[in-house]
Amino acid sequence: MTAQATRVRQSRTGRSNGQWAVDGREPLNHNEEFKAEDNGLNVRERIEKVYAREGFDAIPADDLHGRFRWWGLYTQRKPGIDGGRTAQLEPHELEDRFFMLRVRSDGELLSPAALAVLGSISTDFARGTADITDRQNIQYHWISVEDMPEIWRRLETVGLETTEACGDTPRGFLGSPVAGVAADEIIDPTPVIAEIKRRYLGDPELANLPRKFKSAITGHPSLDVAHEINDVSLVGVVHPELGPGYDLWVGGALSTTPRLAERLGTFVTAEQAPDVWHGVIRIFRDYGYRRLRTKARLKFLLAEWGTEKFREVLENEYLGYRLADGPAPARATSPGDHVGVHEQKDGQSYVGAAPVVGRVSGSTLTDVGTLVERVGASGVRLTAHQKLVVLDVPSDRVEELVEGLEAIGLSTRPSPFRRNTVACTGIEFCKLAIVDTKDTAAATIAELEQRLAGVALDTPISLHVNGCPNSCARIQTADIGLKGQIITTDDGEQVPGFQVHLGGGLASDDREEGGLGRTVRGLKVAAADLPDYVERVVRRFLAERDGTETFATWAHRADEEALQ
C-alpha cells in the first residue's frame, strides 16, 4: 500500500477501529487477542493429540469458545434451558459437553460413497442427527471431542472437510447445485470454486479475518446462491464482447443490521475470478473493522466507502489492473431451489427434493446414497434452500428415483409450504436461540397443508423461522419472516413467539431484485398460534391481491390491519 493511500485512510476521529492497514495490528478485544496469540488452524493438532485423549475438561476456554470454530465445532446448548434465560446466562452456563459440527460441501457433488460416510458419522457419533443448512453444509449435533479424529479420518476418505467451516475465516462456498449439467447454464463455476479452495482454503494468511466471510458463485440463470446476502458473490453473465463470465457483488449480510450486497459494475473472467475473490477477502482482512464485533463485517466497510472507492482499492491495491465494466444479471428464469425433475444438457435429468426444513438423519443420508447408486446417478448436491438435488439420473430411472426419495421422506413434488419454509437450528441445540424452530416449522407446515389444501397458490409464499435476531434463516428476505423472542400474550403470560417481517425476498423468477421485509409495530405471534396467523394472512392476500400481484408486493402496500 502506498504512503498516499495510508494518509488518505487515517481515522478521522483519531480512535482506532482495528483496521490493520490503518491502525496497525494491536488487538483491541479478547477475540483479537486469542487470534493473535495462536492461529485457529493450529487447534486441530491439539484436538487430535490432547483433547480427544484427555476429554472435554482438558480444553482451555480460548480453544473451546474460539479456535474450535476454525474446524467447524461449536458447543451446543444444554437441554432444558428455556429461551427466557438465554440472555441471562453466561456461555459456559448454556453450553453442553457436546458439539455441533459443520461439514462443508462448497457446492461439490456428494458421491454415493460420500453420502455413506456422512450417514455413518451421523449414526455412529451424532445420535442420528443431520441437517442440510442454507449454506450447503451438513450439520451434526451431539458430537464428542473424543470422536473427532475418527470423524475427520472418515471425511477425508471421500474428500470432505470441516476446515474453516466456522470462525473468522472464509466459510463454505455456496455454489450452483446444477453446475456443469444444466441445459441453460451461462458458465460452470465448479473450476473457479475448486481453484479458490486449492489456493486459499486453510491459508494461515486468511485465517484471521475481522469476522466470518461468506462467498457465493453461480453460473445459472436462476440466481440460485442468494448472492445478495454474501460478502462476495460472482454471478454468471455474458459480456457482449468478452463472452461468459461473472458480475461481482460485495458487502451483503443480514443479522441484526441487514444490508443487501451491491454490484461493483465489473466483469470478471473465469481466469480472473480466483484473484478477484482473493482481493476482496484481503480488503476485508486489512481494512475491516476489528474493534467492535458488531461492526466487523464487510457490509460496514462498504457502507463507509461506497462501491466506487471499493472498486478503486480492489483494482489499484490488490489486483494491479482494471477490470472491464460489465452487465448486470438478467432476471431469474426459474426457482433457485431446483425442486422437481429437470432435463440436463446431456439428455439425462437432475431431480430436486425437499426434506422438511432441512432436517434429515443418518439413515436418510445412507438411504439416499444407496438409491443414487442403484439408479445409476452420479451423486447429490445441496442447495441454499435446505434442499438436495440428484444429478445425472438416467431418463428411464427417473420415476424409480422419485418414488425412492418419497419413501425416505424427500419429496420432489412438495406442498408450497414444505417447499418454501426454511428454519434455523433453534433452541434445541443453539446457545443463542430463544425459541424452537425446526419442530415449530414442521408442525406449521403440516397444519397449513391440511387447512389450505384446496387453495390455489400461483405464487410462492416463503416462510422463514429463526430462533433469535441473528437471521441464520434469512428472515428479512422472506415473504413471512419470523424472529424468535419471548412475547407477552393479552393475558399477561410470557410465551415463545415471533416478531413478524413481511414482504422480503431475494431476486427470483417472480421478483426482479432483492428487498427487505417490513415490520408492523406490535405485530408478534405466539408460536402456538403460528398456523392460525399464516393461514389468516395468506387468505387475506388472496382476497385482496391485485391480479397476479405477489405476496411481497401486496405486503408492502397493505394496511397494517390486513397484516395482523
Side-chain angles (χ1 to χ4, degrees), residues 132-134 337 339 353-359 383-387 414-424 437-449 457 460-466 473-474 478-482 498 530 534 538:
I132 300 171
T133 77
D134 60 8
D337 61 5
V339 167
V356 177
V357 293
R359 179 137 288 178
T383 82
H385 305 277
Q386 298 182 333
K387 311 294 188 293
S415 70
F417 293 102
R418 176 165 173 175
R419 178 170 184 172
N420 296 299
T421 299
V422 170
C424 73
T437 54
K438 293 285 190 182
D439 290 341
T440 298
T444 300
I445 291 169
E447 279 286 321
L448 294 173
E449 286 175 338
L457 285 174
I461 299 177
S462 56
L463 181 69
H464 290 201
V465 186
N466 212 78
R474 310 197 297 244
D479 287 307
I480 304 174
L482 301 157
F498 302 93
L530 187 55
V534 176
V538 168

Side-chain angles (χ1 to χ4, degrees), residues 138-166:
I138 291 292
Q139 186 162 291
Y140 299 114
H141 300 282
W142 300 110
I143 298 294
S144 296
V145 70
E146 291 87 348
D147 295 323
M148 282 310 303
E150 174 61 14
I151 290 171
W152 279 323
R153 188 196 67 77
R154 292 190 191 184
L155 290 172
E156 288 163 3
T157 65
V158 289
L160 293 174
E161 59 201 332
T162 71
T163 314
E164 296 179 327
C166 308

Side-chain angles (χ1 to χ4, degrees), residues 246-539:
Y246 299 96
D247 186 40
L248 176 61
W249 296 62
V250 299
L254 294 178
S255 192
T256 55
T257 310
R259 181 183 176 90
L260 297 182
E262 297 185 56
R263 298 182 59 237
L264 295 192
T266 60
F267 179 78
V268 179
T269 68
E271 293 73 25
Q272 293 168 333
D275 290 336
V276 168
W277 180 90
H278 192 219
V280 173
I281 196 172
R282 284 184 295 149
I283 287 176
F284 179 48
R285 179 194 66 189
D286 298 343
Y287 288 105
Y289 307 137
R290 294 172 181 261
R291 184 173 68 88
L292 298 175
R293 295 283 288 177
T294 54
K295 300 291 184 183
R297 292 296 302 275
L298 187 63
K299 62 184 175 182
F300 294 104
L301 182 65
L302 181 67
E304 180 186 326
W305 280 10
T307 56
E308 184 177 345
K309 179 176 177 179
F310 196 101
R311 176 173 176 174
E312 175 189 345
V313 173
L314 174 64
E315 293 174 335
N316 294 342
E317 297 185 24
Y318 290 86
L319 295 178
Y321 56 84
R322 180 171 173 79
L323 296 166
D325 294 337
R331 182 167 179 159
T333 56
S334 58
D337 61 5
H338 302 294
V339 167
V341 178
H342 309 268
E343 187 174 352
Q344 295 181 178
K345 59 186 177 184
D346 62 1
Q348 297 188 99
S349 296
Y350 63 85
V351 180
V356 177
V357 293
R359 179 137 288 178
V360 286
S361 66
S363 60
T364 302
L365 293 169
T366 301
D367 290 347
V368 169
T370 301
L371 177 62
V372 166
E373 189 168 32
R374 188 177 79 219
V375 302
S378 62
V380 163
R381 286 196 180 119
L382 309 179
T383 82
H385 305 277
Q386 298 182 333
K387 311 294 188 293
L388 61 82
V389 182
V390 183
L391 270 59
D392 302 320
V393 184
S395 297
D396 61 348
R397 309 296 293 274
V398 169
E399 281 307 311
E400 180 183 353
L401 175 73
V402 167
E403 292 174 4
L405 290 171
E406 192 73 43
I408 55 179
L410 300 168
S411 177
T412 61
R413 305 180 185 97
S415 70
F417 293 102
R418 176 165 173 175
R419 178 170 184 172
N420 296 299
T421 299
V422 170
C424 73
T425 300
I427 200 170
E428 183 179 9
F429 297 115
C430 179
K431 292 177 294 185
L432 300 177
I434 301 166
V435 302
D436 173 82
T437 54
K438 293 285 190 182
D439 290 341
T440 298
T444 300
I445 291 169
E447 279 286 321
L448 294 173
E449 286 175 338
Q450 290 186 338
R451 297 185 189 190
L452 299 173
V455 176
L457 285 174
D458 60 350
T459 179
I461 299 177
S462 56
L463 181 69
H464 290 201
V465 186
N466 212 78
C468 76
N470 288 321
S471 201
C472 293
R474 310 197 297 244
I475 53 176
Q476 300 99 332
T477 57
D479 287 307
I480 304 174
L482 301 157
K483 180 172 71 177
Q485 56 187 227
I486 301 300
I487 69 170
T488 303
T489 67
D490 293 339
D491 298 330
E493 182 183 4
Q494 288 197 315
V495 298
F498 302 93
Q499 182 188 53
V500 182
H501 298 250
L502 293 163
L506 300 176
S508 63
D509 57 328
D510 68 346
R511 184 180 186 125
E512 190 165 354
E513 60 183 22
L516 303 176
R518 67 181 284 196
T519 56
V520 177
R521 183 176 303 222
L523 178 52
K524 299 177 181 179
V525 179
D529 298 332
L530 187 55
D532 293 338
Y533 174 75
V534 176
E535 179 188 12
R536 185 166 65 246
V537 77
V538 168
R539 290 188 183 278

